[in-house]
């Protein structure tokens, strides 16, 4: 890597509450295909959006440990091998994530330009976006710290605002000095800001040289840099991932890059961005950014509408029929159903908090749970038994494991299964089955070239996912679920 190369830094955090029930903590919105223009996920589109810029290289991704295999798999699907996948044991906001990414970039090069992007944004006008990013790169190479201000379309209270001051020019490229940052305003302030073209929404996207942002963090928020360096020095490589030291990272301040640096530095510039940007912060935002039919409806899945307009109806499994609907959001999954007035969808995250307080599993996880070897669907759940559909990718293998409280029956419905029980191996074809007694060491492998699907019936005194002891694992998970 050299100083002329450009490193995308993609921040993949997120709690998965605002687009419930599709998005949840176990599988938040950045890993979902929400665009009506293509079937790629928001994360995949984030990198695809910048990959053709001259000098761009493979990205640095920052995510939490729970999502590491999802991130790796989604990058593999678009034929991208990340520069690094950095695992945070817990979120510490954007300043530590950016500091860590800059330190990693400097390990491999002189002084590359970093493009810091959120993994869950949508941009409609890719060409205009790239043009603005290139303007930012020009100023970043002059050792400026660039942020992008979204040209506002309405008085929004959910975003922070950036007030621009006098402008600077580099050829045809223009950036503005930053007069001030304003946190999310009340509606009266937001209505005033929308009438003043000096104000833009704070996008949370940045461009700067790695050494320059490190220098400013060291000067303005040195404690962040201290603990980030220590966390990296004590980090461990785990397959394709770099795992931060948990104890050291816990001491790192939890603060945004705006508060830590951008509000204090004299090197900050803002460049207005008008490219159809959205943070997809609600189902209403999904509706606004999606392609619509003649009645302004957005439909996905098995949906039939009659005499309905300005609705978003999404079905993941069952047939959904709507008659005489107006301004409604209906989202169906295999374990939950959301029905909301379009203008009320900002309150979905409050509902998720209520679900968490009631300790309902639907608040944080899907019935479909993704693993590095594939995924499983929970079909039926009862206190002493449950049924799952297990999907194993060709050539993949589950861990060698044992359960203290349950036995299992496996029935092959598609593909070929290799089953190991207490060191004895069996090959099962479609419509064959096998019994795994309680307390036995066992492992499932797909030796074939097509997906393996089995039905698993569990029974015992306890069938929770934490009743699992791993002895061997291809993915380094011998100490976790």
């Amino acid at each position: 890597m050299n100083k002329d190369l450009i490193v995308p830094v993609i921040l993949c955090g997120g709690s998965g509450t605002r687009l419930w029930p599709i998005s949840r903590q176990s599988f938040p919105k950045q890993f979902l295909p929400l665009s009506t223009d293509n079937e790629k996920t928001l994360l995949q589109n984030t990198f695809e959006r910048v990959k053709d810029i001259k000098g761009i290289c493979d990205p640095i991704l920052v995510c939490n440990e729970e999502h590491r295999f999802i991130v790796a798999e989604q990058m593999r699907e678009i034929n991208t091998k990340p520069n690094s996948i950095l695992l945070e044991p817990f979120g510490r906001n954007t300043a530590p994530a950016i500091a860590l990414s800059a330190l990693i970039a400097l390990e491999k090069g002189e002084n590359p330009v970093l493009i810091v992007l959120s993994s869950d944004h949508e941009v409609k006008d890719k060409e205009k976006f790239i043009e603005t990013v290139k303007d930012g790169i020009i100023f970043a190479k002059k050792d400026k710290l660039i942020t992008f201000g979204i040209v506002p379309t309405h008085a929004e209270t959910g975003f922070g605002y950036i007030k621009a001051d006098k402008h600077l020019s580099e050829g045809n490229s223009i950036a503005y000095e930053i007069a001030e940052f304003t946190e999310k305003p009340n509606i009266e302030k937001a209505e005033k800001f929308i009438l003043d073209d000096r104000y833009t929404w704070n996008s949370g996207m940045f461009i700067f040289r790695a050494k320059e942002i490190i220098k400013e963090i060291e000067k303005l928020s040195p404690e962040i840099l201290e603990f980030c360096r220590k966390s990296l020095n004590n980090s461990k490589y785990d397959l394709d991932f770099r795992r931060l030291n948990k104890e050291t990272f816990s001491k790192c301040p939890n603060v945004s890059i705006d508060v830590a640096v951008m509000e204090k530095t004299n090197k900050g510039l803002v460049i207005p961005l008008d490219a159809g940007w959205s943070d997809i912060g609600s189902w209403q935002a999904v509706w606004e950014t999606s392609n619509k039919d003649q009645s302004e409806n957005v439909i996905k899945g098995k949906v039939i509408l009659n005499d309905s307009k300005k609705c978003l109806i999404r079905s993941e499994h069952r047939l959904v029929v709507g008659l005489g609907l107006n301004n409604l959001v209906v989202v169906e999954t295999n374990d939950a159903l959301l029905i909301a007035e379009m203008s009320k969808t900002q309150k979905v995250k409050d509902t998720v908090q209520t679900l968490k307080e009631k300790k309902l599993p639907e608040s944080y996880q899907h019935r479909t749970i993704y693993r590095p070897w594939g995924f499983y669907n929970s079909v039926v759940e009862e206190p002493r038994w449950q049924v799952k559909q297990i999907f194993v990718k060709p050539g993949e293998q589950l861990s060698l494991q044992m359960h203290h409280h349950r036995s299992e029956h496996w029935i092959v419905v598609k593909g070929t299964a290799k089953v190991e029980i207490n060191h004895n191996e069996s090959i099962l074809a479609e419509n064959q089955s096998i019994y795994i007694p309680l307390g036995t060491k066992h492992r499932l492998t797909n030796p074939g070239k097509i997906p393996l699907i089995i039905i698993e019936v569990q029974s015992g005194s306890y069938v929770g996912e934490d009743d699992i002891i791993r002895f061997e694992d291809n993915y380094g998970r011998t100490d976790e679920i």
Side-chain angles (χ1 to χ4, degrees), residues 22-155:
I22 299 295
S23 172
R24 304 188 194 181
Q25 182 178 321
S26 67
F27 206 85
K29 66 177 179 177
Q30 58 267 31
F31 307 126
L32 294 168
L34 294 174
S35 173
T36 53
D37 297 331
N38 61 67
E39 286 300 313
K40 293 187 173 70
T41 68
L42 293 178
L43 168 60
Q44 291 169 331
N45 281 328
T46 298
F47 180 65
E48 296 268 295
R49 202 173 289 133
V50 298
K51 71 175 185 178
D52 294 327
I53 295 175
K54 183 179 179 181
I56 210 82
C57 63
D58 291 328
I60 295 171
L61 298 110
V62 185
C63 69
N64 64 41
E65 296 198 21
E66 181 182 7
H67 300 143
R68 66 193 187 278
F69 294 116
I70 301 172
V71 169
E73 175 65 13
Q74 292 201 353
M75 289 294 100
R76 186 197 64 78
E77 288 174 354
I78 59 171
N79 300 313
T80 298
K81 184 172 178 58
N83 189 313
S84 180
I85 301 178
L86 184 65
L87 305 183
E88 293 182 319
F90 26 72
R92 277 291 182 266
N93 218 311
T94 55
I98 289 171
L100 290 161
S101 300
L103 291 170
I104 290 173
L106 289 171
E107 289 176 348
K108 301 183 178 182
E110 296 180 33
N111 191 16
V113 171
L114 307 182
I115 303 178
V116 180
L117 303 167
S118 175
S119 61
D120 59 356
H121 292 174
E122 172 80 337
V123 175
K124 284 295 185 184
D125 190 339
K126 179 181 174 180
E127 291 184 5
K128 187 63 178 292
F129 177 78
I130 295 301
E131 179 184 319
T132 308
V133 167
K134 288 179 178 179
D135 288 341
I137 292 170
I138 290 170
F139 286 98
K141 289 183 176 181
K142 300 291 183 181
D143 292 336
K144 297 295 185 180
L145 310 183
I146 311 304
T147 186
F148 294 105
I150 306 302
V151 177
T153 56
H154 59 277

Side-chain angles (χ1 to χ4, degrees), residues 127-337:
E127 291 184 5
K128 187 63 178 292
F129 177 78
I130 295 301
E131 179 184 319
T132 308
V133 167
K134 288 179 178 179
D135 288 341
I137 292 170
I138 290 170
F139 286 98
K141 289 183 176 181
K142 300 291 183 181
D143 292 336
K144 297 295 185 180
L145 310 183
I146 311 304
T147 186
F148 294 105
I150 306 302
V151 177
T153 56
H154 59 277
E156 173 62 59
T157 60
F159 300 143
Y161 285 72
I162 303 171
K163 183 180 179 182
D165 204 343
K166 64 181 182 181
H167 76 269
L168 304 177
S169 299
E170 288 289 339
N172 295 324
S173 302
I174 297 176
Y176 297 83
E177 294 182 353
I178 297 171
E180 63 180 357
F181 287 82
T182 301
E183 285 299 309
K184 299 174 183 179
N186 57 33
I187 188 62
E188 290 79 12
K189 279 189 176 180
E191 288 174 345
K192 290 180 181 178
F193 291 166
I194 196 78
L195 299 175
D196 188 337
D197 61 9
R198 293 176 297 174
Y199 284 93
T200 52
W201 293 335
N202 189 348
S203 71
M205 296 184 288
F206 306 90
I207 299 182
F208 29 62
R209 281 201 184 277
K211 284 184 179 178
E212 202 59 38
I213 190 61
I214 290 296
K215 188 188 302 180
E216 290 298 284
I217 294 173
E218 190 165 33
K219 180 171 70 175
L220 301 171
S221 300
E223 191 178 12
I224 293 172
L225 196 60
E226 175 190 355
F227 287 108
C228 284
R229 279 187 169 134
K230 288 180 179 178
S231 297
L232 272 184
N233 290 339
N234 296 324
S235 65
K236 295 181 179 179
Y237 288 93
D238 177 7
L239 300 175
D240 295 329
F241 312 107
R242 189 165 182 176
R243 193 185 299 270
L244 291 174
N245 181 274
K246 187 173 183 179
E247 182 180 353
T248 306
F249 193 61
S250 68
K251 300 173 184 177
C252 193
N254 184 359
V255 62
S256 71
I257 195 68
D258 290 328
V259 173
V261 174
M262 297 302 293
E263 294 179 5
K264 303 172 183 176
T265 183
N266 59 7
K267 296 188 174 185
L269 299 176
V270 60
I271 297 179
L273 174 64
D274 188 5
W277 173 93
S278 173
D279 74 336
I280 314 294
S282 69
W283 282 112
Q284 183 172 5
V286 174
W287 177 82
E288 289 171 349
T289 60
S290 298
N291 296 327
K292 304 171 184 65
D293 65 17
Q294 291 181 343
S295 299
E296 297 187 84
N297 295 310
V298 174
I299 296 171
K300 185 165 185 178
K302 295 169 65 177
V303 176
I304 295 176
L305 290 184
N306 188 8
D307 191 26
S308 299
K309 61 182 180 179
K310 294 185 178 179
C311 292
L312 185 153
I313 314 293
R314 179 171 177 139
S315 169
E316 297 293 302
H317 297 277
R318 289 166 288 184
L319 172 65
V320 175
V321 179
L323 304 176
L325 306 181
N326 187 28
N327 283 304
L328 283 185
V329 170
V330 179
V331 181
E332 178 271 345
T333 69
N334 60 4
D335 63 346
L337 175 65

